Amino acid sequence: MTLTIPFDNSYARLPDAFFSRQAPVPVRVPTLIAFNEDLARLLQISPGEAQEMAEVFGGNALPNGAEPLAQLYSGHQFGTYNPQLGDGRAVLLGETIGADGVRRDIQLKGSGPTPFSRRGDGRAWLGPVLREYVVSEAMHALGVPTTRALAAVETGEPVYREAAMPGAVLTRVARSHLRVGTFQVFAARGQLENLRRLTDYAIERHYPQADGPMGLLRGVRDAQARLIAHWMSVGFIHGVMNTDNSSIAGETIDYGPCAFMDSYHPNTVYSSIDRMGRYAYSNQPDIAVWNLAQLATALIQQMEDKEAAVEEATEIVHAMPDLLQEQWLTRFRAKIGLTRAEEGDQDLISDLLKRMAENQADFINTFRALAGDAARDQFTDPSAFDGWADGWTERLDREDDPQVVMIAANPAFIPRNHRVEQMIEAAVKGDYTPFHRLNTVLAQPYEDQPEAADLMRPPTSSEVVQATFCGT
Ligand code: AMP
Ligand code: MG
């Protein structure tokens, strides 16, 4: 059996200014940790022997048809423009067209230095690689658009962070790695031909119906609005919503310091570098609008009639908060069992969330329990729930099958931070059992799985993860 990947590499056919050709840098002893067979099937990849896959997905051997390159981009990091970022520790091997007809990137992350590495070593350690593997696949199973994980490989080399850690490489799959920052870099440099070329490429690949740059802007707006509302509904906090981590295809990308909320509070922040709470849970919709405004600013540079373009782009961006709110309301209605839209729904949902915040109610378990009769136990003062439930029960009389709606909208299982940390601790000691178990359970997040009840439990006070760190 030989590993075969049916590459068709459109990005490598773009002008040289878009990337730097760069092969992955070989590692000492590549060992395959995980290979995602379901995803491989979708990508029309036929797997090979474990050793061959370790060589390829560790970066020691180039598969036939690969044209490795590091992509150029820039971006706003915490609101400040950085004129050059780019793939500093990743290379795009190429693209395949899946069994579903969708073109996807196959990228190695942690594959060694590139011309964009700045002061970084181009590597990743095992922790963030396993974290991204588990969390991105969990997001996929939850139904949230996301990049995915095809493989994880240990390198047999140390990576130096606070201490020497085992090195690893993740194979990431994405509808594309085009970001807001990919547009920003050409706009900022006044390279209008490249900007136009990129715009055409993005339209053809992701929004074939779009009529030019403003149509693209509209497409990205709608996809991002859907995405962020979806995050909110599962309690996901991205943690580093910089414009270079904002996908044009509308996927969740870059699982650095991301985290799922345990007890609900709108101001929740985990990322150790987000001191001002810029990317706090409830700020995410506003930040998505801010990021879209940066894309608008970049796209406008290529327009002939600037004044008209500014007017149209402003209108497009200004419509985003309402679109997001609409998406949010639809998702949260479903979470409390509502399919019809009524005037008071927004207030009903907000009232529940307020009471949850005041009572340290666990976000996931409270909503999941709404379909049963134990939701009140999630509140430090259960009567706070009862006070809300009266109005809710009355409202449910005008719905057909709220239980079914709630079960489908409220997962039982998410990758809880303390479980992810425990999984990493075990893996560093060579025990991958928790890693594989998490993947198995999280593949069916809406199913009751009594044998995995321990993975539903919120952290005890000693297990609580106070801060998460950037995935370097
Ligand atoms: P991120 O915070 O992961 O979105 O990364 C921001 C920028 O830093 C990107 O250009 C990355 O490629 C780069 N970067 C992050 N970690 C490393 C590393 N270990 N070596 C080189 N570049 C890195
Ligand atoms: Mg990034």
Side-chain angles (χ1 to χ4, degrees), residues 71 73-74 77-78 82 84-90 109-110 112-114 116-125 159 161 172 179 238 240 242 244-245 253-257 273 470-472:
Q71 291 178 316
Y73 54 87
S74 65
Q77 298 178 302
F78 292 88
N82 190 330
Q84 189 175 298
L85 295 164
D87 290 333
R89 53 163 168 169
K109 185 171 170 184
T114 77
F116 307 118
S117 295
R118 295 171 293 159
R119 258 167 292 163
D121 59 3
R123 294 296 183 190
W125 76 273
V159 172
R161 297 294 180 254
R172 173 161 76 178
R179 312 135 190 274
H238 182 281
V240 58
N242 293 336
D244 59 303
N245 295 335
I253 186 166
D254 228 326
Y255 291 84
I273 54 170
C470 242
T472 53

mmCIF file of all heavy atoms in Angstrom, residues 71 73-74 77-78 82 84-90 109-110 112-114 116-125 159 161 172 179 238 240 242 244-245 253-257 273 470-472, ligand 1:
data_model
loop_
_atom_site.group_PDB
_atom_site.id
_atom_site.type_symbol
_atom_site.label_atom_id
_atom_site.label_comp_id
_atom_site.label_asym_id
_atom_site.label_seq_id
_atom_site.Cartn_x
_atom_site.Cartn_y
_atom_site.Cartn_z
ATOM 1 N N GLN A 71 2.740 30.549 2.593
ATOM 2 C CA GLN A 71 1.917 31.641 2.093
ATOM 3 C C GLN A 71 2.257 32.963 2.774
ATOM 4 O O GLN A 71 2.546 33.008 3.967
ATOM 5 C CB GLN A 71 0.427 31.320 2.306
ATOM 6 C CG GLN A 71 -0.053 30.185 1.417
ATOM 7 C CD GLN A 71 -1.511 29.828 1.670
ATOM 8 O OE1 GLN A 71 -1.949 29.729 2.809
ATOM 9 N NE2 GLN A 71 -2.265 29.624 0.611
ATOM 10 N N TYR A 73 1.091 36.605 4.130
ATOM 11 C CA TYR A 73 -0.051 37.409 4.581
ATOM 12 C C TYR A 73 0.434 38.385 5.638
ATOM 13 O O TYR A 73 1.588 38.307 6.084
ATOM 14 C CB TYR A 73 -1.204 36.545 5.107
ATOM 15 C CG TYR A 73 -0.853 35.549 6.194
ATOM 16 C CD1 TYR A 73 -0.860 35.930 7.541
ATOM 17 C CD2 TYR A 73 -0.522 34.229 5.893
ATOM 18 C CE1 TYR A 73 -0.546 35.012 8.549
ATOM 19 C CE2 TYR A 73 -0.215 33.314 6.888
ATOM 20 C CZ TYR A 73 -0.220 33.716 8.219
ATOM 21 O OH TYR A 73 0.089 32.818 9.198
ATOM 22 N N SER A 74 -0.433 39.334 5.983
ATOM 23 C CA SER A 74 -0.118 40.248 7.080
ATOM 24 C C SER A 74 -1.331 40.233 7.999
ATOM 25 O O SER A 74 -2.119 39.289 7.946
ATOM 26 C CB SER A 74 0.157 41.646 6.537
ATOM 27 O OG SER A 74 -1.013 42.183 5.940
ATOM 28 N N GLN A 77 -2.880 42.337 14.666
ATOM 29 C CA GLN A 77 -2.804 41.495 15.860
ATOM 30 C C GLN A 77 -3.194 42.357 17.054
ATOM 31 O O GLN A 77 -2.530 43.372 17.325
ATOM 32 C CB GLN A 77 -1.383 40.951 16.030
ATOM 33 C CG GLN A 77 -0.953 40.065 14.849
ATOM 34 C CD GLN A 77 0.470 39.563 14.978
ATOM 35 O OE1 GLN A 77 1.401 40.357 15.081
ATOM 36 N NE2 GLN A 77 0.641 38.245 14.975
ATOM 37 N N PHE A 78 -4.281 41.990 17.720
ATOM 38 C CA PHE A 78 -4.814 42.789 18.830
ATOM 39 C C PHE A 78 -4.974 44.258 18.430
ATOM 40 O O PHE A 78 -4.662 45.164 19.192
ATOM 41 C CB PHE A 78 -3.969 42.626 20.098
ATOM 42 C CG PHE A 78 -4.077 41.244 20.674
ATOM 43 C CD1 PHE A 78 -3.217 40.236 20.256
ATOM 44 C CD2 PHE A 78 -5.075 40.925 21.586
ATOM 45 C CE1 PHE A 78 -3.348 38.933 20.752
ATOM 46 C CE2 PHE A 78 -5.212 39.634 22.089
ATOM 47 C CZ PHE A 78 -4.348 38.646 21.676
ATOM 48 N N ASN A 82 0.443 44.519 11.631
ATOM 49 C CA ASN A 82 1.778 43.953 11.453
ATOM 50 C C ASN A 82 1.964 43.716 9.953
ATOM 51 O O ASN A 82 1.275 42.889 9.367
ATOM 52 C CB ASN A 82 1.894 42.640 12.238
ATOM 53 C CG ASN A 82 3.323 42.132 12.287
ATOM 54 O OD1 ASN A 82 4.094 42.372 11.363
ATOM 55 N ND2 ASN A 82 3.671 41.452 13.354
ATOM 56 N N GLN A 84 4.006 42.254 7.996
ATOM 57 C CA GLN A 84 4.306 40.941 7.429
ATOM 58 C C GLN A 84 4.266 39.821 8.446
ATOM 59 O O GLN A 84 5.022 39.810 9.411
ATOM 60 C CB GLN A 84 5.649 40.920 6.707
ATOM 61 C CG GLN A 84 5.814 39.593 5.946
ATOM 62 C CD GLN A 84 7.061 39.548 5.105
ATOM 63 O OE1 GLN A 84 7.227 40.331 4.188
ATOM 64 N NE2 GLN A 84 7.946 38.618 5.437
ATOM 65 N N LEU A 85 3.368 38.902 8.201
ATOM 66 C CA LEU A 85 3.317 37.678 9.010
ATOM 67 C C LEU A 85 3.687 36.528 8.093
ATOM 68 O O LEU A 85 4.852 36.304 7.843
ATOM 69 C CB LEU A 85 1.928 37.505 9.626
ATOM 70 C CG LEU A 85 1.552 38.592 10.646
ATOM 71 C CD1 LEU A 85 0.065 38.610 10.939
ATOM 72 C CD2 LEU A 85 2.331 38.375 11.932
ATOM 73 N N GLY A 86 2.709 35.821 7.549
ATOM 74 C CA GLY A 86 3.011 34.706 6.644
ATOM 75 C C GLY A 86 3.181 33.407 7.408
ATOM 76 O O GLY A 86 3.253 33.390 8.635
ATOM 77 N N ASP A 87 3.215 32.301 6.662
ATOM 78 C CA ASP A 87 3.384 30.985 7.290
ATOM 79 C C ASP A 87 4.797 30.873 7.844
ATOM 80 O O ASP A 87 5.739 30.585 7.111
ATOM 81 C CB ASP A 87 3.187 29.864 6.252
ATOM 82 C CG ASP A 87 1.741 29.740 5.795
ATOM 83 O OD1 ASP A 87 0.834 30.101 6.569
ATOM 84 O OD2 ASP A 87 1.525 29.263 4.658
ATOM 85 N N GLY A 88 4.925 31.056 9.138
ATOM 86 C CA GLY A 88 6.247 31.005 9.755
ATOM 87 C C GLY A 88 6.612 29.620 10.238
ATOM 88 O O GLY A 88 7.756 29.355 10.599
ATOM 89 N N ARG A 89 5.612 28.749 10.273
ATOM 90 C CA ARG A 89 5.914 27.375 10.719
ATOM 91 C C ARG A 89 4.964 26.397 10.045
ATOM 92 O O ARG A 89 4.568 25.406 10.642
ATOM 93 C CB ARG A 89 5.789 27.258 12.223
ATOM 94 C CG ARG A 89 4.461 27.759 12.742
ATOM 95 C CD ARG A 89 4.227 27.257 14.100
ATOM 96 N NE ARG A 89 3.114 27.947 14.710
ATOM 97 C CZ ARG A 89 2.555 27.559 15.817
ATOM 98 N NH1 ARG A 89 3.024 26.516 16.441
ATOM 99 N NH2 ARG A 89 1.549 28.227 16.318
ATOM 100 N N ALA A 90 4.596 26.725 8.827
ATOM 101 C CA ALA A 90 3.669 25.849 8.104
ATOM 102 C C ALA A 90 4.037 25.863 6.634
ATOM 103 O O ALA A 90 4.591 26.844 6.133
ATOM 104 C CB ALA A 90 2.239 26.343 8.284
ATOM 105 N N LYS A 109 1.775 21.841 9.695
ATOM 106 C CA LYS A 109 1.995 22.931 10.649
ATOM 107 C C LYS A 109 2.992 22.456 11.702
ATOM 108 O O LYS A 109 2.787 21.407 12.313
ATOM 109 C CB LYS A 109 0.645 23.289 11.296
ATOM 110 C CG LYS A 109 0.677 24.481 12.214
ATOM 111 C CD LYS A 109 -0.746 24.868 12.610
ATOM 112 C CE LYS A 109 -0.759 25.904 13.710
ATOM 113 N NZ LYS A 109 -2.132 26.194 14.159
ATOM 114 N N GLY A 110 4.087 23.227 11.846
ATOM 115 C CA GLY A 110 5.168 22.801 12.734
ATOM 116 C C GLY A 110 6.291 22.164 11.936
ATOM 117 O O GLY A 110 7.122 21.428 12.460
ATOM 118 N N GLY A 112 8.908 23.387 10.301
ATOM 119 C CA GLY A 112 10.236 23.985 10.183
ATOM 120 C C GLY A 112 10.197 25.413 9.693
ATOM 121 O O GLY A 112 9.170 25.908 9.237
ATOM 122 N N PRO A 113 11.339 26.096 9.800
ATOM 123 C CA PRO A 113 11.402 27.517 9.458
ATOM 124 C C PRO A 113 11.129 27.795 7.980
ATOM 125 O O PRO A 113 11.369 26.950 7.118
ATOM 126 C CB PRO A 113 12.830 27.929 9.827
ATOM 127 C CG PRO A 113 13.546 26.701 10.220
ATOM 128 C CD PRO A 113 12.580 25.573 10.351
ATOM 129 N N THR A 114 10.628 28.986 7.728
ATOM 130 C CA THR A 114 10.361 29.466 6.372
ATOM 131 C C THR A 114 10.882 30.905 6.311
ATOM 132 O O THR A 114 11.261 31.465 7.346
ATOM 133 C CB THR A 114 8.843 29.491 6.074
ATOM 134 O OG1 THR A 114 8.269 30.640 6.725
ATOM 135 C CG2 THR A 114 8.132 28.239 6.559
ATOM 136 N N PHE A 116 9.252 33.359 6.399
ATOM 137 C CA PHE A 116 8.358 34.195 7.208
ATOM 138 C C PHE A 116 8.458 33.906 8.701
ATOM 139 O O PHE A 116 7.601 34.323 9.485
ATOM 140 C CB PHE A 116 6.900 34.001 6.757
ATOM 141 C CG PHE A 116 6.700 34.207 5.276
ATOM 142 C CD1 PHE A 116 6.239 33.172 4.472
ATOM 143 C CD2 PHE A 116 6.986 35.433 4.686
ATOM 144 C CE1 PHE A 116 6.057 33.352 3.105
ATOM 145 C CE2 PHE A 116 6.805 35.623 3.318
ATOM 146 C CZ PHE A 116 6.347 34.580 2.522
ATOM 147 N N SER A 117 9.481 33.171 9.107
ATOM 148 C CA SER A 117 9.538 32.738 10.511
ATOM 149 C C SER A 117 9.897 33.849 11.486
ATOM 150 O O SER A 117 9.714 33.690 12.690
ATOM 151 C CB SER A 117 10.541 31.589 10.680
ATOM 152 O OG SER A 117 10.117 30.456 9.977
ATOM 153 N N ARG A 118 10.404 34.954 10.986
ATOM 154 C CA ARG A 118 10.892 36.007 11.892
ATOM 155 C C ARG A 118 11.774 35.364 12.956
ATOM 156 O O ARG A 118 12.702 34.668 12.631
ATOM 157 C CB ARG A 118 9.710 36.790 12.478
ATOM 158 C CG ARG A 118 8.955 37.553 11.381
ATOM 159 C CD ARG A 118 7.671 38.160 11.880
ATOM 160 N NE ARG A 118 6.695 37.136 12.232
ATOM 161 C CZ ARG A 118 5.666 37.309 13.048
ATOM 162 N NH1 ARG A 118 5.480 38.476 13.622
ATOM 163 N NH2 ARG A 118 4.822 36.339 13.285
ATOM 164 N N ARG A 119 11.454 35.549 14.251
ATOM 165 C CA ARG A 119 12.359 34.968 15.250
ATOM 166 C C ARG A 119 11.942 33.571 15.734
ATOM 167 O O ARG A 119 12.576 33.006 16.617
ATOM 168 C CB ARG A 119 12.507 35.929 16.441
ATOM 169 C CG ARG A 119 13.841 36.694 16.375
ATOM 170 C CD ARG A 119 13.844 37.865 17.354
ATOM 171 N NE ARG A 119 12.893 38.886 16.918
ATOM 172 C CZ ARG A 119 12.421 39.873 17.688
ATOM 173 N NH1 ARG A 119 12.784 39.955 18.936
ATOM 174 N NH2 ARG A 119 11.593 40.773 17.203
ATOM 175 N N GLY A 120 10.876 33.048 15.139
ATOM 176 C CA GLY A 120 10.384 31.745 15.598
ATOM 177 C C GLY A 120 11.207 30.587 15.061
ATOM 178 O O GLY A 120 11.988 30.740 14.120
ATOM 179 N N ASP A 121 11.026 29.414 15.657
ATOM 180 C CA ASP A 121 11.806 28.239 15.248
ATOM 181 C C ASP A 121 11.095 27.405 14.178
ATOM 182 O O ASP A 121 11.616 26.392 13.733
ATOM 183 C CB ASP A 121 12.118 27.363 16.474
ATOM 184 C CG ASP A 121 10.857 26.892 17.184
ATOM 185 O OD1 ASP A 121 9.738 27.192 16.701
ATOM 186 O OD2 ASP A 121 10.990 26.217 18.224
ATOM 187 N N GLY A 122 9.867 27.804 13.818
ATOM 188 C CA GLY A 122 9.144 27.066 12.785
ATOM 189 C C GLY A 122 8.536 25.757 13.258
ATOM 190 O O GLY A 122 7.996 24.992 12.472
ATOM 191 N N ARG A 123 8.616 25.527 14.544
ATOM 192 C CA ARG A 123 8.159 24.245 15.076
ATOM 193 C C ARG A 123 6.956 24.386 15.998
ATOM 194 O O ARG A 123 6.575 25.488 16.388
ATOM 195 C CB ARG A 123 9.312 23.567 15.846
ATOM 196 C CG ARG A 123 10.482 23.156 14.946
ATOM 197 C CD ARG A 123 10.063 22.100 13.952
ATOM 198 N NE ARG A 123 11.185 21.642 13.121
ATOM 199 C CZ ARG A 123 11.024 20.866 12.056
ATOM 200 N NH1 ARG A 123 9.825 20.466 11.685
ATOM 201 N NH2 ARG A 123 12.062 20.476 11.343
ATOM 202 N N ALA A 124 6.369 23.252 16.330
ATOM 203 C CA ALA A 124 5.266 23.202 17.283
ATOM 204 C C ALA A 124 5.583 22.099 18.279
ATOM 205 O O ALA A 124 6.256 21.129 17.935
ATOM 206 C CB ALA A 124 3.960 22.881 16.564
ATOM 207 N N TRP A 125 5.095 22.227 19.485
ATOM 208 C CA TRP A 125 5.275 21.099 20.409
ATOM 209 C C TRP A 125 3.998 20.280 20.478
ATOM 210 O O TRP A 125 2.955 20.672 19.950
ATOM 211 C CB TRP A 125 5.843 21.540 21.743
ATOM 212 C CG TRP A 125 4.949 22.229 22.742
ATOM 213 C CD1 TRP A 125 4.687 23.571 22.812
ATOM 214 C CD2 TRP A 125 4.249 21.616 23.839
ATOM 215 N NE1 TRP A 125 3.863 23.814 23.878
ATOM 216 C CE2 TRP A 125 3.576 22.642 24.538
ATOM 217 C CE3 TRP A 125 4.130 20.301 24.315
ATOM 218 C CZ2 TRP A 125 2.788 22.395 25.667
ATOM 219 C CZ3 TRP A 125 3.353 20.054 25.451
ATOM 220 C CH2 TRP A 125 2.691 21.091 26.113
ATOM 221 N N VAL A 159 11.519 20.589 21.269
ATOM 222 C CA VAL A 159 11.224 21.971 20.914
ATOM 223 C C VAL A 159 11.380 22.753 22.195
ATOM 224 O O VAL A 159 10.896 22.323 23.248
ATOM 225 C CB VAL A 159 9.785 22.078 20.363
ATOM 226 C CG1 VAL A 159 9.401 23.529 20.166
ATOM 227 C CG2 VAL A 159 9.661 21.325 19.052
ATOM 228 N N ARG A 161 10.506 25.548 24.627
ATOM 229 C CA ARG A 161 9.568 26.577 25.044
ATOM 230 C C ARG A 161 9.991 27.016 26.444
ATOM 231 O O ARG A 161 11.129 27.391 26.610
ATOM 232 C CB ARG A 161 8.125 26.045 24.985
ATOM 233 C CG ARG A 161 7.705 25.673 23.546
ATOM 234 C CD ARG A 161 7.635 26.891 22.609
ATOM 235 N NE ARG A 161 7.239 26.555 21.244
ATOM 236 C CZ ARG A 161 8.051 26.524 20.186
ATOM 237 N NH1 ARG A 161 9.343 26.790 20.327
ATOM 238 N NH2 ARG A 161 7.605 26.230 18.987
ATOM 239 N N ARG A 172 -3.055 19.944 8.682
ATOM 240 C CA ARG A 172 -4.313 20.691 8.766
ATOM 241 C C ARG A 172 -4.954 20.751 7.390
ATOM 242 O O ARG A 172 -4.286 20.945 6.378
ATOM 243 C CB ARG A 172 -3.997 22.100 9.273
ATOM 244 C CG ARG A 172 -5.171 23.041 9.261
ATOM 245 C CD ARG A 172 -4.936 24.225 10.159
ATOM 246 N NE ARG A 172 -4.030 25.207 9.591
ATOM 247 C CZ ARG A 172 -3.712 26.357 10.200
ATOM 248 N NH1 ARG A 172 -4.205 26.635 11.399
ATOM 249 N NH2 ARG A 172 -2.876 27.211 9.641
ATOM 250 N N ARG A 179 -6.994 34.431 4.244
ATOM 251 C CA ARG A 179 -7.418 35.157 5.444
ATOM 252 C C ARG A 179 -7.675 36.603 5.067
ATOM 253 O O ARG A 179 -7.255 37.058 4.001
ATOM 254 C CB ARG A 179 -6.282 35.157 6.482
ATOM 255 C CG ARG A 179 -5.669 33.815 6.719
ATOM 256 C CD ARG A 179 -4.139 33.908 6.741
ATOM 257 N NE ARG A 179 -3.557 32.543 6.727
ATOM 258 C CZ ARG A 179 -3.357 31.823 7.808
ATOM 259 N NH1 ARG A 179 -3.596 32.347 8.983
ATOM 260 N NH2 ARG A 179 -2.901 30.597 7.727
ATOM 261 N N HIS A 238 -12.622 31.857 20.761
ATOM 262 C CA HIS A 238 -11.485 31.634 19.871
ATOM 263 C C HIS A 238 -10.175 32.086 20.516
ATOM 264 O O HIS A 238 -9.161 31.401 20.436
ATOM 265 C CB HIS A 238 -11.719 32.360 18.545
ATOM 266 C CG HIS A 238 -10.636 32.152 17.543
ATOM 267 N ND1 HIS A 238 -9.432 32.833 17.589
ATOM 268 C CD2 HIS A 238 -10.546 31.320 16.476
ATOM 269 C CE1 HIS A 238 -8.672 32.423 16.588
ATOM 270 N NE2 HIS A 238 -9.327 31.510 15.897
ATOM 271 N N VAL A 240 -8.006 34.458 19.818
ATOM 272 C CA VAL A 240 -7.050 35.305 19.094
ATOM 273 C C VAL A 240 -7.603 35.614 17.694
ATOM 274 O O VAL A 240 -7.085 35.190 16.674
ATOM 275 C CB VAL A 240 -5.619 34.708 19.131
ATOM 276 C CG1 VAL A 240 -5.539 33.327 18.545
ATOM 277 C CG2 VAL A 240 -4.599 35.623 18.495
ATOM 278 N N ASN A 242 -7.406 37.695 15.493
ATOM 279 C CA ASN A 242 -6.666 38.664 14.679
ATOM 280 C C ASN A 242 -7.080 38.512 13.220
ATOM 281 O O ASN A 242 -7.608 37.461 12.838
ATOM 282 C CB ASN A 242 -5.165 38.413 14.849
ATOM 283 C CG ASN A 242 -4.692 38.727 16.257
ATOM 284 O OD1 ASN A 242 -5.334 39.516 16.962
ATOM 285 N ND2 ASN A 242 -3.593 38.124 16.664
ATOM 286 N N ASP A 244 -5.401 37.949 10.684
ATOM 287 C CA ASP A 244 -4.708 36.849 10.006
ATOM 288 C C ASP A 244 -5.292 35.501 10.417
ATOM 289 O O ASP A 244 -4.962 34.477 9.817
ATOM 290 C CB ASP A 244 -3.193 36.877 10.289
ATOM 291 C CG ASP A 244 -2.882 36.766 11.763
ATOM 292 O OD1 ASP A 244 -3.375 37.609 12.533
ATOM 293 O OD2 ASP A 244 -2.169 35.835 12.154
ATOM 294 N N ASN A 245 -6.161 35.503 11.419
ATOM 295 C CA ASN A 245 -6.821 34.265 11.822
ATOM 296 C C ASN A 245 -8.305 34.293 11.463
ATOM 297 O O ASN A 245 -9.098 33.559 12.037
ATOM 298 C CB ASN A 245 -6.660 34.043 13.333
ATOM 299 C CG ASN A 245 -5.206 33.820 13.716
ATOM 300 O OD1 ASN A 245 -4.405 33.374 12.894
ATOM 301 N ND2 ASN A 245 -4.851 34.136 14.944
ATOM 302 N N ILE A 253 -10.424 28.929 12.275
ATOM 303 C CA ILE A 253 -9.027 28.588 11.973
ATOM 304 C C ILE A 253 -8.114 29.098 13.076
ATOM 305 O O ILE A 253 -8.403 30.119 13.690
ATOM 306 C CB ILE A 253 -8.582 29.152 10.600
ATOM 307 C CG1 ILE A 253 -7.181 28.660 10.254
ATOM 308 C CG2 ILE A 253 -8.649 30.668 10.563
ATOM 309 C CD1 ILE A 253 -6.784 28.876 8.804
ATOM 310 N N ASP A 254 -7.060 28.351 13.328
ATOM 311 C CA ASP A 254 -6.030 28.689 14.285
ATOM 312 C C ASP A 254 -6.474 28.476 15.726
ATOM 313 O O ASP A 254 -6.961 29.384 16.394
ATOM 314 C CB ASP A 254 -5.534 30.122 14.073
ATOM 315 C CG ASP A 254 -4.027 30.136 14.058
ATOM 316 O OD1 ASP A 254 -3.447 29.321 14.793
ATOM 317 O OD2 ASP A 254 -3.430 30.924 13.318
ATOM 318 N N TYR A 255 -6.297 27.249 16.154
ATOM 319 C CA TYR A 255 -6.662 26.863 17.513
ATOM 320 C C TYR A 255 -5.484 27.089 18.444
ATOM 321 O O TYR A 255 -4.767 26.163 18.773
ATOM 322 C CB TYR A 255 -7.107 25.409 17.538
ATOM 323 C CG TYR A 255 -8.427 25.200 16.829
ATOM 324 C CD1 TYR A 255 -8.501 25.032 15.441
ATOM 325 C CD2 TYR A 255 -9.609 25.209 17.544
ATOM 326 C CE1 TYR A 255 -9.715 24.856 14.803
ATOM 327 C CE2 TYR A 255 -10.832 25.035 16.910
ATOM 328 C CZ TYR A 255 -10.879 24.863 15.547
ATOM 329 O OH TYR A 255 -12.088 24.703 14.922
ATOM 330 N N GLY A 256 -5.243 28.343 18.795
ATOM 331 C CA GLY A 256 -4.176 28.647 19.733
ATOM 332 C C GLY A 256 -4.702 28.553 21.147
ATOM 333 O O GLY A 256 -4.847 27.466 21.715
ATOM 334 N N PRO A 257 -5.021 29.707 21.712
ATOM 335 C CA PRO A 257 -5.478 29.728 23.107
ATOM 336 C C PRO A 257 -6.987 29.570 23.237
ATOM 337 O O PRO A 257 -7.562 30.019 24.214
ATOM 338 C CB PRO A 257 -5.036 31.121 23.558
ATOM 339 C CG PRO A 257 -5.112 31.952 22.314
ATOM 340 C CD PRO A 257 -4.860 31.045 21.150
ATOM 341 N N ILE A 273 -2.529 35.985 26.772
ATOM 342 C CA ILE A 273 -2.015 37.212 26.154
ATOM 343 C C ILE A 273 -3.118 38.249 25.929
ATOM 344 O O ILE A 273 -2.841 39.368 25.537
ATOM 345 C CB ILE A 273 -1.279 36.943 24.815
ATOM 346 C CG1 ILE A 273 -2.169 36.156 23.852
ATOM 347 C CG2 ILE A 273 0.024 36.197 25.059
ATOM 348 C CD1 ILE A 273 -1.587 36.073 22.445
ATOM 349 N N CYS A 470 -0.861 30.604 23.756
ATOM 350 C CA CYS A 470 -0.816 30.570 22.291
ATOM 351 C C CYS A 470 -0.152 29.278 21.823
ATOM 352 O O CYS A 470 0.776 28.778 22.450
ATOM 353 C CB CYS A 470 -0.072 31.773 21.749
ATOM 354 S SG CYS A 470 -1.153 32.761 20.728
ATOM 355 N N GLY A 471 -0.650 28.755 20.729
ATOM 356 C CA GLY A 471 -0.216 27.437 20.290
ATOM 357 C C GLY A 471 1.150 27.396 19.643
ATOM 358 O O GLY A 471 1.265 26.978 18.496
ATOM 359 N N THR A 472 2.170 27.821 20.321
ATOM 360 C CA THR A 472 3.491 27.804 19.687
ATOM 361 C C THR A 472 4.395 26.676 20.161
ATOM 362 O O THR A 472 4.013 25.828 20.856
ATOM 363 C CB THR A 472 4.250 29.132 19.890
ATOM 364 O OG1 THR A 472 4.265 29.401 21.266
ATOM 365 C CG2 THR A 472 3.609 30.231 19.121
HETATM 366 P P1 AMP B 1 -0.558 32.703 15.296
HETATM 367 O O1 AMP B 1 -0.518 33.446 16.582
HETATM 368 O O2 AMP B 1 -0.414 31.218 15.433
HETATM 369 O O3 AMP B 1 -1.713 33.097 14.425
HETATM 370 O O4 AMP B 1 0.767 33.128 14.507
HETATM 371 C C1 AMP B 1 1.051 34.453 14.184
HETATM 372 C C2 AMP B 1 2.283 34.485 13.316
HETATM 373 O O5 AMP B 1 3.426 33.977 14.020
HETATM 374 C C3 AMP B 1 2.184 33.669 12.045
HETATM 375 O O6 AMP B 1 2.870 34.351 11.032
HETATM 376 C C4 AMP B 1 2.887 32.383 12.411
HETATM 377 O O7 AMP B 1 3.392 31.698 11.288
HETATM 378 C C5 AMP B 1 4.011 32.898 13.289
HETATM 379 N N1 AMP B 1 4.496 31.876 14.229
HETATM 380 C C6 AMP B 1 3.854 31.368 15.295
HETATM 381 N N2 AMP B 1 4.607 30.444 15.926
HETATM 382 C C7 AMP B 1 5.759 30.348 15.226
HETATM 383 C C8 AMP B 1 6.950 29.561 15.360
HETATM 384 N N3 AMP B 1 7.114 28.677 16.353
HETATM 385 N N4 AMP B 1 7.932 29.752 14.459
HETATM 386 C C9 AMP B 1 7.805 30.643 13.448
HETATM 387 N N5 AMP B 1 6.721 31.402 13.270
HETATM 388 C C10 AMP B 1 5.699 31.267 14.151
#
